[in-house]
Amino acid sequence: MTASRARPKAALLCAGALLLGGCAEDMSDLRQFVEEIKARPGGEVQPLPEFEEYEGFTYDETDLRNPFRPRADFSDGEDESSDEESSGLTPDRERRKEPLEQYPLDSLGMVGTLTQNGQRRGLVRDPDGVVHRVVPDNYLGQNHGRITAVEPDRIRIVEIVRDGQGGWMERDASLAMSNEE
């Protein structure tokens, strides 16, 4: 049995010796290539750019406005409510919010119309998949959007948005008929 075990070991040793012998090839061409690369002149390193020294700024809240409040809230030191009164146009903050006002306008979709008692009603799908019936003077969207007309292919809306100068302005918008099911 010992002779039979010795034969595979001898064969493995011979195979290993042959494999190692194959690794001892002439590598002079590789050494020559490396020497050529080393002999090439080196590239020039660009100098680091000059930077201006940073000057720090200490914020003194007593002399400057709060940087985290919109600029529109600061007009001649008056508060926001006086700005709204001066512009004449303001959203009705006392009005009870309607269900579709919790969603952004671009997340709502018009899916159809129906006529009931001679009045056309729009069908609007919210992001949760619930379909709501709407008529003119209903509100939807997060910008105080009031429905002005329900047409066969769209619902016309007037939104009240900030004008960037402390007041409010009207902006026309619409929901077009959606082809999605």
Side-chain angles (χ1 to χ4, degrees):
M1 247 209 232
T2 57
S4 64
R5 284 187 181 175
R7 284 184 188 156
K9 284 184 181 178
L12 284 174
L13 285 174
C14 288
L18 288 174
L19 287 174
L20 288 175
C23 291
E25 289 182 14
D26 183 27
M27 295 185 12
S28 60
D29 58 340
L30 179 61
R31 285 190 186 100
Q32 181 184 358
F33 175 75
V34 170
E35 292 301 321
E36 286 176 14
I37 296 298
K38 285 183 178 179
R40 290 183 187 168
E44 236 181 78
V45 176
Q46 297 291 329
L48 293 175
E50 295 288 327
F51 291 104
E52 293 181 24
E53 189 172 323
Y54 174 76
E55 288 187 37
F57 175 76
T58 303
Y59 177 75
D60 183 10
E61 67 275 358
T62 58
D63 296 336
L64 301 171
R65 73 175 185 85
N66 183 342
F68 300 104
R69 287 188 56 200
R71 187 180 276 296
D73 288 350
F74 294 92
S75 65
D76 302 329
E78 297 178 5
D79 64 349
E80 186 176 316
S81 60
S82 63
D83 288 344
E84 291 175 356
E85 291 171 7
S86 66
S87 69
L89 178 67
T90 61
D92 182 2
R93 298 198 189 275
E94 302 299 318
R95 179 183 57 76
R96 184 175 174 182
K97 296 274 187 185
E98 296 184 20
L100 290 174
E101 288 184 272
Q102 65 182 318
Y103 303 107
L105 192 60
D106 62 355
S107 70
L108 302 173
M110 179 182 180
V111 294
T113 60
L114 66 95
T115 303
Q116 195 173 29
N117 297 330
Q119 183 181 27
R120 181 180 295 134
R121 299 172 185 267
L123 300 175
V124 176
R125 179 178 291 137
D126 68 24
D128 300 325
V130 177
V131 176
H132 302 262
R133 286 182 288 192
V134 296
V135 294
D137 292 327
N138 280 144
Y139 287 81
L140 63 142
Q142 295 177 331
N143 291 321
H144 314 285
R146 183 178 56 82
I147 298 173
T148 57
V150 177
E151 299 174 358
D153 63 338
R154 75 182 58 248
I155 296 173
R156 298 206 182 269
I157 303 160
V158 173
E159 296 180 312
I160 300 176
V161 295
R162 286 265 183 204
D163 66 3
Q165 299 174 355
W168 297 89
M169 63 182 236
E170 288 187 342
R171 174 175 68 187
D172 291 331
S174 65
L175 275 181
M177 179 72 78
S178 171
N179 293 335
E180 298 176 13
E181 286 298 315

Coordinates of all heavy atoms in Angstrom, one line a residue, residues 5-20:
R5 N 0.7 4.6 -2.6 CA 0.6 6.0 -2.2 C 1.7 6.9 -2.6 O 1.6 8.0 -2.8 CB 0.5 6.0 -0.7 CG -0.8 5.6 -0.1 CD -0.9 5.9 1.4 NE -2.1 5.5 1.9 CZ -2.5 5.5 3.2 NH1 -1.6 5.8 4.1 NH2 -3.6 5.1 3.6
A6 N 2.9 6.3 -2.8 CA 4.1 7.0 -3.2 C 4.0 7.5 -4.6 O 4.5 8.5 -5.0 CB 5.3 6.2 -3.0
R7 N 3.3 6.7 -5.5 CA 3.3 7.0 -6.9 C 2.5 8.4 -7.1 O 3.0 9.2 -7.9 CB 2.6 5.9 -7.7 CG 3.5 4.7 -7.9 CD 2.9 3.7 -8.7 NE 3.7 2.5 -8.7 CZ 3.3 1.3 -9.0 NH1 2.0 1.1 -9.2 NH2 4.1 0.3 -9.0
P8 N 1.3 8.6 -6.5 CA 0.6 9.9 -6.8 C 1.5 11.0 -6.2 O 1.5 12.1 -6.8 CB -0.7 9.7 -6.1 CG -0.9 8.3 -5.9 CD 0.4 7.6 -5.8
K9 N 2.1 10.8 -5.1 CA 2.9 11.9 -4.5 C 4.1 12.2 -5.5 O 4.4 13.4 -5.7 CB 3.5 11.5 -3.2 CG 2.4 11.6 -2.1 CD 3.0 11.3 -0.7 CE 2.0 11.3 0.4 NZ 2.6 11.0 1.7
A10 N 4.7 11.2 -6.0 CA 5.8 11.4 -6.9 C 5.3 12.2 -8.2 O 6.0 13.1 -8.7 CB 6.5 10.1 -7.3
A11 N 4.1 11.8 -8.7 CA 3.6 12.4 -9.9 C 3.3 13.9 -9.6 O 3.6 14.8 -10.4 CB 2.3 11.7 -10.3
L12 N 2.8 14.2 -8.4 CA 2.5 15.6 -8.0 C 3.8 16.4 -7.9 O 3.9 17.6 -8.3 CB 1.8 15.7 -6.7 CG 0.3 15.3 -6.8 CD1 -0.3 15.3 -5.4 CD2 -0.5 16.3 -7.6
L13 N 4.8 15.8 -7.4 CA 6.1 16.5 -7.3 C 6.7 16.8 -8.6 O 7.2 17.9 -8.9 CB 7.1 15.7 -6.4 CG 6.9 15.7 -4.9 CD1 7.8 14.7 -4.2 CD2 7.0 17.1 -4.4
C14 N 6.6 15.9 -9.5 CA 7.1 16.1 -10.9 C 6.3 17.2 -11.6 O 6.9 18.0 -12.3 CB 7.0 14.8 -11.7 SG 8.2 13.6 -11.2
A15 N 5.0 17.2 -11.4 CA 4.1 18.2 -12.1 C 4.5 19.6 -11.5 O 4.6 20.6 -12.2 CB 2.7 17.9 -11.9
G16 N 4.7 19.6 -10.2 CA 5.0 20.9 -9.5 C 6.3 21.4 -10.0 O 6.5 22.6 -10.3
A17 N 7.3 20.5 -10.2 CA 8.6 20.9 -10.7 C 8.5 21.5 -12.1 O 9.2 22.5 -12.5 CB 9.6 19.8 -10.6
L18 N 7.7 20.8 -12.9 CA 7.6 21.3 -14.3 C 6.9 22.7 -14.3 O 7.3 23.6 -15.1 CB 6.7 20.3 -15.1 CG 7.4 19.0 -15.5 CD1 6.4 18.1 -16.2 CD2 8.6 19.3 -16.4
L19 N 5.9 22.9 -13.5 CA 5.2 24.2 -13.4 C 6.2 25.3 -13.0 O 6.2 26.4 -13.5 CB 4.0 24.2 -12.5 CG 2.8 23.4 -13.0 CD1 1.7 23.3 -12.0 CD2 2.2 24.1 -14.3
L20 N 7.0 25.0 -12.0 CA 7.9 26.0 -11.5 C 9.0 26.3 -12.5 O 9.5 27.4 -12.6 CB 8.5 25.5 -10.2 CG 7.6 25.6 -8.9 CD1 8.3 25.0 -7.7 CD2 7.2 27.0 -8.7

